Amino acid sequence: MAPKTNTTTAKTLPNPPLTIVIRLAFTYFCVVFSTGFLFGTIRQLYIIPTYHLPPSNAEIIEAPLMFIAVIVWANWLVNHYKIPAKGTVRLAVGLLGLGIMACVEFMGSRFVGERGPVEESREEWAGVARSLYLFDLMVFGIMPWILMLVEKGRRRQKAE
């Protein structure tokens, strides 16, 4: 059975409709959030008790892994759904995904978590962990756009 060739992908549309952009942003959020949930579960159930680390130090260990996960998942999303190399589309997908992530993270920290976002921690490295977390969130929001810039740079190098 041959695959359908008339399916609509984001690349076939010069300006994808808002519904497609929202679906792409939600997909991006889901895969990155699932990865973060997996890493967080491993951190809370294995890393912290086994190595007797404060939570903020374990978050510092997790941050580079999440950075790599964001790059991998954004690359997968862009290539799998063939998102056009237009800055507005890529930023819309990333920033909408960031908005969803911020809402879910806030609700989780308020209603499920042990501490709210305004509660201060007495741990020495808590500020570093928060800074890395915010950096990862910013990278998450703009990574599809950054990948577009990388793609354009590669095309220029091949043209020369």
Side-chain angles (χ1 to χ4, degrees), residues 73-153:
W73 282 122
N75 194 28
W76 171 81
L77 184 83
V78 165
N79 292 324
H80 187 282
Y81 292 103
K82 297 177 178 45
I83 300 174
K86 291 184 68 176
T88 54
V89 175
R90 298 275 180 104
L91 277 174
V93 169
L95 294 177
L96 278 172
L98 176 61
I100 297 168
M101 180 75 75
C103 290
V104 170
E105 290 280 346
F106 177 75
M107 288 188 303
S109 70
R110 272 326 249 174
F111 301 115
V112 180
E114 298 167 359
R115 61 181 178 199
V118 294
E119 185 177 321
E120 290 297 321
S121 175
R122 296 184 190 268
E123 296 175 23
E124 186 176 325
W125 289 95
V128 174
R130 287 184 184 149
S131 299
L132 285 172
Y133 172 72
L134 290 175
F135 174 76
D136 278 347
L137 279 180
M138 289 187 305
V139 168
F140 170 77
I142 62 173
M143 186 53 68
W145 178 73
I146 290 173
L147 291 175
M148 177 194 71
L149 297 178
V150 171
E151 291 169 8
K152 287 183 178 181

Side-chain angles (χ1 to χ4, degrees), residues 5-20:
T5 57
N6 61 354
T7 58
T8 303
T9 62
K11 191 168 189 168
T12 60
L13 302 170
N15 287 319
L18 185 59
T19 55
I20 290 178

